[in-house]
Every structure is written in structure tokens, then in C-alpha cells.
Amino acid sequence: MKLKKCILILPGLIIVIAAIIFFFFAKKIENFADQDINLNQELIFTVPAGTGRVGLETLLIRHKLIEDNQLLQWLFRLKPELAKFKSGTYRLQTGMSLKAVLQLFASGKETQFAIRFVEGSRLSDWSKTLQNAPYLKHESENKTPQELTEILDMKTGESLEGWFYPDTYLYTAGTSDVELLKRAHNKMKMVLEQEWKTREKNLPYKDVYEMLIMASIIEKETAIESERTKIASVFVNRLRLKMRLQTDPTIIYGLGDKYTGTIFRSNLTTFTPYNTYMIDGLPPTPIAMPGQASIKAAAYPANTEYLYFVANGDGGHTFTTNLVAHNKAVSLYRQRLKQYK
């Protein structure tokens, strides 16, 4: 009789013991998942395409984020939703638990990198910025300007200069620099089209491209918000009167690498397509990437009779309507420069 009772009790006892063991083991796995990963500073972590459970464990151990204790595979069995990770590049922060990391991988929310293009920068500046951007796929450097204009659906032979909107752009790892250029180009087209449709009437521009050229010159002439429409008025007035623009930023652009920081008198009498002391009207292309404020100034210049402006020594400019007053302003500026020396 006692033997029968023991036989009946034994399976139940085994089940209870197994349940207790499983409970404590599951608790151990849960604690393992809730522990912070070994990380002292932010880490950009890439899960390559095709990575499996064992491969991910190998990567985590290689980066010393977890110990080689084989508990991760048990965690995947107990919490299969954590094993549904997606390839990509993620930003791991200090204080994150292993569970939080795996949830991040499962969400597919890759980290985004920021790239900033400033107003007034040139295409050459953009190329350097793109080359130095992390986790960006570099494709533009292998393409000719003609190939890029075709990709961007621009007119044949049109310059790339000026056609990209300066702003901060976000991207994920593996994004092509050409894709970023597309986004910047499309945004510039959108901003230009909006301002062109509502621009002031009777402006001396043949098309939106000439307005872009004007905006680029305004951008390089001043960084003071309140001056932009006045600068625009000077150039618009000059174009209407068939006066040459005589603006130094176009001289500098035309000199290219020959510009060393100083414009010499000989530069004013040396012909380039951008020497607005020698050519009539606007230069053939933009000279920089203008921001929206300069584009607006080109579309809505102030209503003035100004024909000249010169630096005033305080970071701004003095605007005048005739050559006599302009020469006086130039003389005052030179006097102020001598005082600072």
C-alpha cells in the first residue's frame, strides 16, 4: 500500500521540483534581460542584414555588451518577441537594459544622423561635408556633374551651384549622398517656385533661375536680416538702369582657388564670366546656396532708390543713391579702418 502511494506521489513531486527549477531559471533569465548592458558611453551599433540569433549574440559579446554565458539563446526561447530583431544601425545609450536593446532592435527604429549645410556655402563645401559624413554611402564622387544633373532632372548643361537648399537633413546609415542631394534639390525647387509665383511684379529677371542667381549674391553680401531687401533693391535698381552690378562676391567666385583673401585692383580688370565689374547683368550661375531669407529678398526687394552700398565698419552697410554720397561713405569707411590699425 505504501509503495503504491509512493509511486503515485513521485510523479507529482518530480513535476513540482521541475516547476520550481524552471521558475528560478526563468527568474535568472529575466534578471539577465533586465540588467544594464556593459556600456560607458553612447555606441552606434550595426546589426548587419542576415544576422541570426547566434550572430547577434556573437556581436554583443564582441562589443563586450554582454558576457559569454549562453543565456541570450534561452531568453530568445522564453521571449520570442525579442528575437524578431531587424537589421540596421542603432544608437545604444548608457543605462539601457539588454531587454531595452533587443526591443529597440525589434522596433527597427534606426538612429538618424544629422548633416548641416549652411547658407552661403558652395557646392565644393557641400562635397567636403558629404565626404566627412559618417555612415553615408558615397556615390556622388564617382559621378560627373552631367550625370548628377540628369539624376536630379535638371536642364542639360545647367550648373549644380545654388540648386541645393541649405538646411539640416537627417538620414539613416547606408543612405546615399545622392539621395540627400535629391532632397536638398527638391526643397530648393519647392521654395523657389513658391516665391516665384507671388514675387513682386516687373522684376528684371527672365526666369526663376535668374532670381536664384540674385538670391545667391544677396546671401554672400550680407548676413544681416534687415539689410537683405535693401541689398536686393540696389541690384534690382542697377539692372533696371543697365548699370553693372559691381559686386565683390562674384569676383571672388570667379577667381576660384586663386582668391587668397584679398581682392586686388588687377582682379577687377581681369575678365571672368563672374566679373560683374566687366560683364553686363547677372553672372551666368549662382555663386552659393542661398537660404530662404535671401530668396525672399530677391523676390520682394525693398522699394528704394539706392544704387550703392559700402561696409560701414560695424558689420553693416551704408546705402546711398548717388556716386558723390557713395564716395563719402567709402572715405568714412576707410578712415574707420585706419583707426582700428
Side-chain angles (χ1 to χ4, degrees):
M1 197 68 183
K2 290 182 180 180
L3 181 60
K4 286 185 177 181
K5 286 183 179 180
C6 289
I7 293 173
L8 291 173
I9 293 173
L10 186 59
L13 185 61
I14 293 173
I15 291 173
V16 171
I17 293 172
I20 292 173
I21 293 173
F22 179 80
F23 172 79
F24 282 104
F25 183 71
K27 192 68 177 176
K28 181 179 180 180
I29 298 298
E30 189 175 330
N31 290 337
F32 171 67
D34 290 335
Q35 286 180 353
D36 290 353
I37 56 173
N38 299 321
L39 193 62
N40 296 321
Q41 59 183 6
E42 181 182 277
L43 174 67
I44 303 300
F45 187 91
T46 298
V47 180
T51 300
R53 296 182 180 188
V54 175
L56 179 61
E57 182 177 32
T58 301
L59 286 172
L60 292 172
I61 293 172
R62 185 182 301 162
H63 283 84
K64 299 181 179 180
L65 299 178
I66 63 171
E67 295 179 2
D68 187 4
N69 51 23
Q70 299 182 345
L71 293 180
L72 183 60
Q73 301 306 318
W74 282 105
L75 176 60
F76 286 150
R77 293 187 182 96
L78 293 175
K79 300 283 185 180
E81 68 274 12
L82 297 179
K84 297 178 180 179
F85 47 85
K86 299 176 178 67
S87 62
T89 298
Y90 302 89
R91 191 184 302 272
L92 305 186
Q93 307 281 358
T94 57
M96 289 182 74
S97 67
L98 174 60
K99 182 179 180 181
V101 169
L102 295 175
Q103 287 174 332
L104 177 62
F105 294 166
S107 73
K109 294 179 180 178
E110 293 187 69
T111 187
Q112 291 192 316
F113 302 92
I115 187 168
R116 170 68 178 160
F117 300 107
V118 299
E119 294 85 350
S121 54
R122 297 178 180 178
L123 185 61
S124 57
D125 301 318
W126 280 52
S127 296
K128 292 175 183 176
T129 302
L130 289 170
Q131 287 173 5
N132 295 327
Y135 298 95
L136 194 64
K137 190 186 298 180
H138 302 287
E139 295 180 343
S140 62
E141 58 190 23
N142 297 322
K143 299 186 183 301
T144 65
Q146 179 60 37
E147 288 173 331
L148 284 175
T149 56
E150 291 175 0
I151 291 171
L152 298 173
D153 195 26
M154 294 171 59
K155 294 179 181 178
T156 302
E158 195 168 66
S159 172
L160 293 167
E161 192 72 87
W163 269 118
F164 303 104
Y165 191 79
D167 203 349
T168 298
Y169 295 90
L170 299 177
Y171 66 93
T172 54
T175 298
S176 164
D177 55 1
V178 173
E179 179 58 34
L180 282 181
L181 289 175
K182 280 184 181 179
R183 287 164 56 188
H185 177 62
N186 289 335
K187 188 168 184 179
M188 179 61 85
K189 285 198 300 183
M190 181 187 70
V191 171
L192 280 173
E193 287 169 3
Q194 289 174 345
E195 303 302 342
W196 180 253
K197 287 178 182 178
T198 59
R199 71 191 184 281
E200 182 184 308
K201 302 304 179 184
N202 302 317
L203 291 173
Y205 311 137
K206 295 177 183 176
D207 50 33
V208 69
Y209 188 57
E210 288 199 347
M211 190 176 80
L212 175 61
I213 295 172
M214 175 65 80
S216 73
I217 297 173
I218 296 167
E219 187 68 61
K220 298 301 289 186
E221 280 287 7
T222 184
I224 299 175
E225 189 76 24
S226 60
E227 283 194 346
R228 287 192 173 99
T229 56
K230 292 180 182 178
I231 295 285
S233 75
V234 171
F235 293 136
V236 165
N237 290 340
R238 280 178 163 260
L239 287 175
R240 284 172 174 160
L241 294 173
K242 308 298 182 183
M243 294 177 65
R244 288 176 175 169
L245 296 185
Q246 296 183 323
T247 168
D248 291 350
T250 63
I251 295 288
I252 294 170
Y253 188 83
L255 289 172
D257 294 337
K258 295 179 182 178
Y259 178 66
T260 58
T262 302
I263 297 177
F264 299 99
R265 187 175 295 276
S266 60
N267 297 141
L268 304 182
T269 56
T270 301
F271 177 81
T272 77
Y274 295 88
N275 186 343
T276 50
Y277 285 80
M278 299 185 72
I279 67 168
D280 297 326
L282 293 162
T285 74
I287 60 172
M289 313 294 179
Q292 187 163 22
S294 293
I295 294 172
K296 281 185 173 293
Y300 318 103
N303 184 15
T304 76
E305 295 183 357
Y306 295 138
L307 293 173
Y308 304 89
F309 63 89
V310 67
N312 60 17
D314 294 323
H317 295 84
T318 300
F319 295 84
T320 51
T321 60
N322 58 79
L323 188 56
V324 173
H326 174 66
N327 288 336
K328 287 183 179 179
V330 172
S331 179
L332 287 172
Y333 171 62
R334 288 173 177 169
Q335 289 176 22
R336 295 200 67 175
L337 286 181
K338 290 180 181 178
Q339 292 175 1
Y340 293 128
K341 290 182 179 180

